[in-house]
Amino acid sequence: MRTLVSPLSLRTPRGRVIYWTTLVVVVIGFTGAFVFPLYWMVTGAMKSPDEIAQIPPSFFPKHVDFGVYKDAWDQLQLGIFLKNTALYAGGAWLFTLAVDVTAAYALSKLRPFFGKLILGAMLATLMIPPMVLLLPTYLVAKDLPIFHASLLNTPWAIWLPAAANGFFVFLLKRFFDSIPRELLEAAEIDGASPLRILWSIVLPVSRPILGVVSILSVVTVWKDFVWPLLVLPETDKMSISVGIASLSAQMPQNVLIASLVIASLPTILVFFIFQRSIMAGLTAGSLKG
């Protein structure tokens, strides 16, 4: 296999120095590009409004004051917004698993007629810009067909649109395809129904991909802004992102930044706790054997 730099050149002292220097510079550069905004947000909350507006900006606050986080919690009613967002994210997670797992299982193992056509139609929805779907989805939520009920200012306006996701169905189907069919056939011989096979065999061995789908579904709802802004206009029903934006004009800059730090903490903690599950689930099912 030919590479840009030959293995022989890398074994020389000059080659090793160049290799490690390049590696360290690239790693530090990319790490700084991703971590620096978080550092700037955390330290910016502890600066006074005058320090934030200072040009050139200071990299460290003159006086470290964690009381601004308490002010942000009280003044922006973050407790209510966080509780609302946790309700929306938790419900969306349950509906996503119920709908997408069963759809992926049916397409992968039950193999219905026109299954490939249905999967292709689901994947085709990923090519449509989300902004294009806002208006028709909003009209459906405002007047639900058949039932003629309005979902506005209810959690259903968040849960139902989040439930059907073509990307999640594709990820789950790819993983289910890697499960040996002999395992399922043995369960069928023992008299297990398709639902029993899904619950007792497929789901237990699919924990990595279920973890990925769970994390992505929760984070997507947690950080969403435009859709909750449209369907949850009442203040006591707002999500964390919409609530902070609605009150931002009345708050000092450092208090606003502190509220953003608090709103970001749950998703950051989820990532650090489940980062191994994310990587394992994304690579699981990519190879058969």
Side-chain angles (χ1 to χ4, degrees):
M1 181 184 295
R2 300 187 60 182
T3 59
L4 184 63
V5 180
S6 67
L8 182 62
S9 299
L10 292 177
R11 294 194 188 101
T12 64
R14 181 172 178 270
R16 286 195 294 268
V17 169
I18 295 176
Y19 170 79
W20 284 107
T21 301
T22 304
L23 178 63
V24 170
V25 169
V26 170
V27 170
I28 293 177
F30 275 93
T31 302
F34 286 100
V35 174
F36 182 75
L38 297 176
Y39 166 80
W40 195 252
M41 181 172 62
V42 173
T43 57
M46 294 183 285
K47 297 178 182 178
S48 64
D50 293 336
E51 284 185 84
I52 296 175
Q54 176 183 326
I55 297 178
S58 59
F59 285 89
F60 305 97
K62 294 180 180 178
H63 305 285
V64 177
D65 181 18
F66 291 97
V68 67
Y69 291 103
K70 184 179 185 305
D71 295 338
W73 181 272
D74 296 334
Q75 296 179 26
L76 279 86
Q77 306 175 15
L78 294 183
I80 296 176
F81 296 144
L82 285 173
K83 182 181 69 174
N84 292 341
T85 309
L87 173 65
Y88 302 146
W93 168 66
L94 291 176
F95 277 96
T96 296
L97 290 185
V99 174
D100 295 351
V101 167
T102 52
Y105 174 68
L107 293 172
S108 175
K109 298 304 181 184
L110 303 184
R111 298 182 179 179
F113 290 109
F114 306 110
K116 293 184 178 180
L117 180 62
I118 295 172
L119 178 63
M122 288 183 180
L123 296 179
T125 62
L126 302 179
M127 309 301 171
I128 304 175
M131 299 303 294
V132 175
L133 300 175
L134 273 180
L135 180 58
T137 309
Y138 175 80
L139 294 177
V140 171
K142 185 178 180 181
D143 184 13
L144 192 64
I146 301 175
F147 299 97
H148 299 291
S150 175
L151 303 181
L152 303 184
N153 286 311
T154 67
W156 296 100
I158 302 294
W159 295 343
L160 295 182
N165 188 300
F167 178 65
F168 292 162
V169 172
F170 174 72
L171 281 181
L172 291 163
K173 180 185 180 301
R174 288 290 298 167
F175 188 93
F176 294 163
D177 288 343
S178 67
I179 299 176
R181 188 155 189 86
E182 293 79 6
L183 185 64
L184 307 185
E185 290 175 349
E188 289 178 359
I189 294 174
D190 291 339
S193 64
L195 185 60
R196 179 69 176 178
I197 293 174
L198 171 64
W199 181 259
S200 301
I201 298 178
V202 175
L203 292 184
V205 301
S206 303
R207 290 177 182 174
I209 195 64
L210 292 178
V212 171
V213 170
S214 299
I215 293 168
L216 292 179
S217 64
V218 169
V219 171
T220 299
V221 173
W222 196 277
K223 70 179 183 178
D224 196 8
F225 176 77
V226 177
W227 181 244
L229 178 66
L230 289 175
V231 299
L232 302 169
E234 293 184 5
T235 303
D236 60 339
K237 302 293 180 61
M238 289 180 177
S239 63
I240 185 70
S241 57
V242 178
I244 292 175
S246 64
L247 300 175
S248 60
Q250 311 167 19
M251 298 296 156
Q253 198 72 13
N254 58 339
V255 174
L256 176 60
I257 297 176
S259 68
L260 297 176
V261 174
I262 295 174
S264 304
L265 283 178
T267 53
I268 294 174
L269 290 176
V270 165
F271 171 77
F272 280 115
I273 293 173
F274 298 105
Q275 59 177 326
R276 289 189 178 181
S277 297
I278 295 174
M279 299 307 300
L282 288 176
T283 56
S286 58
L287 295 176
K288 285 190 175 183

